[in-house]
Amino acid sequence: DQQVKQNSPSLSVQEGRISILNCDYTNSMFDYFLWYKKYPAEGPTFLISISSIKDKNEDGRFTVFLNKSAKHLSLHIVPSQPGDSAVYFCAASVLNSGGSNYKLTFGKGTLLTVNP
Amino acid sequence: GAVVSQHPSWVICKSGTSVKIECRSLDFQATTMFWYRQFPKQSLMLMATSNEGSKATYEQGVEKDKFLINHASLTLSTLTVTSAHPEDSSFYICSARDRGLRLQETQYFGPGTRLLVL
């Protein structure tokens, strides 16, 4: 049972336009959400995060929106650049049963291709 | 800052041998490290959570006797795949959580280790 879903395996946009990557989750206990960017054969790189008490967080070209009632979040990249081409993973965390660790549950990722 | 390294980056071994993968936080102390594996076109699957000085917590379905984890210091965790078989071939990634961060949910990932078992 996949608790974090990225339903679009790929997305292609033109340079300069907006990229919108979507993510849905099912576990209402998730309290922190993150976006990671990953190149082939490399580890994910943290991009941006948002706490469940907020509905928007912005960092430069990247903005994450959270809709708790819909259990949906999205990552907006504007303007998109060719260097943004990578796989983007949505991740969510919940305090585990031990009470001291936050473990991440990842979606399957969306391959973003930004065309020059 | 927040650099995590893994060694080796690639390993090819014969079936039945054991392989050790190291994960180091280079510029911060990590009380907690996580080990993931990723199959092609799949998400990262958490295998275990490693706390410095204590036993690792394994996710359901992960054999603790096959995937031995040691977190001996605040900057080093190791994953040993014992008696490796071809089905263990995968991309193994570690991450570390900076103990100094207030927002402790942010994990920094290593570059990953590609394991191929022949």
Side-chain angles (χ1 to χ4, degrees):
Chain A
D1 177 33
Q2 194 149 13
Q3 298 186 60
V4 177
K5 299 177 184 177
Q6 292 177 258
N7 292 318
S8 297
S10 63
L11 173 69
S12 183
V13 300
Q14 209 61 30
E15 180 178 8
R17 298 292 189 104
I18 185 171
S19 296
I20 300 177
L21 298 136
N22 293 303
C23 178
D24 297 291
Y25 63 96
T26 57
N27 188 343
S28 58
M29 297 300 290
F30 285 142
D31 53 13
Y32 203 76
F33 304 89
L34 308 91
W35 284 94
Y36 285 85
K37 176 181 178 181
K38 184 180 182 300
Y39 295 111
E42 292 184 10
T45 303
F46 169 74
L47 267 180
I48 192 169
S49 61
I50 187 167
S51 166
S52 60
I53 63 174
K54 294 186 175 181
D55 55 18
K56 177 183 175 181
N57 188 26
E58 190 173 352
D59 183 3
R61 296 186 298 116
F62 302 92
T63 303
V64 56
F65 295 91
L66 175 63
N67 183 333
K68 283 183 62 180
S69 60
K71 294 190 177 68
H72 176 83
L73 66 155
S74 60
L75 174 68
H76 292 211
I77 306 173
V78 55
S80 301
Q81 300 172 354
D84 295 329
S85 298
V87 176
Y88 289 78
F89 286 97
C90 169
S93 72
V94 62
L95 193 65
N96 73 1
S97 57
S100 61
N101 292 322
Y102 285 77
K103 63 178 186 180
L104 295 178
T105 301
F106 284 84
K108 288 189 175 182
T110 297
L111 174 62
L112 172 65
T113 303
V114 180
N115 301 304
Chain B
V3 177
V4 176
S5 71
Q6 273 184 251
H7 178 81
S9 55
W10 265 99
V11 59
I12 302 174
C13 69
K14 291 183 179 179
S15 184
T17 59
S18 294
V19 175
K20 180 186 280 190
I21 303 170
E22 291 186 350
C23 177
R24 292 180 186 273
S25 57
L26 298 185
D27 50 2
F28 65 97
Q29 293 182 324
T31 51
T32 305
M33 290 184 171
F34 302 85
W35 286 96
Y36 298 81
R37 67 188 295 181
Q38 184 188 23
F39 293 106
K41 298 186 179 180
Q42 296 296 315
S43 62
L44 283 77
M45 299 298 297
L46 179 65
M47 298 173 66
T49 302
S50 166
N51 289 302
E52 185 264 338
S54 64
K55 290 183 179 180
T57 302
Y58 290 82
E59 294 300 300
Q60 193 172 11
V62 178
E63 300 175 58
K64 63 176 70 175
D65 294 331
K66 180 167 186 60
F67 298 99
L68 301 178
I69 291 173
N70 183 278
H71 193 159
S73 75
L74 287 173
T75 60
L76 173 64
S77 176
T78 60
L79 167 68
T80 301
V81 182
T82 62
S83 187
H85 291 286
E87 58 265 29
D88 298 323
S89 300
S90 189
F91 192 55
Y92 292 87
I93 306 175
C94 74
S95 71
R97 205 178 75 207
D98 188 339
R99 71 183 299 195
L101 282 182
R102 286 186 300 155
L103 290 176
Q104 56 192 349
E105 296 86 349
T106 301
Q107 296 177 21
Y108 298 98
F109 285 81
T113 297
R114 176 76 60 189
L115 170 64
L116 177 61
V117 184
L118 302 176

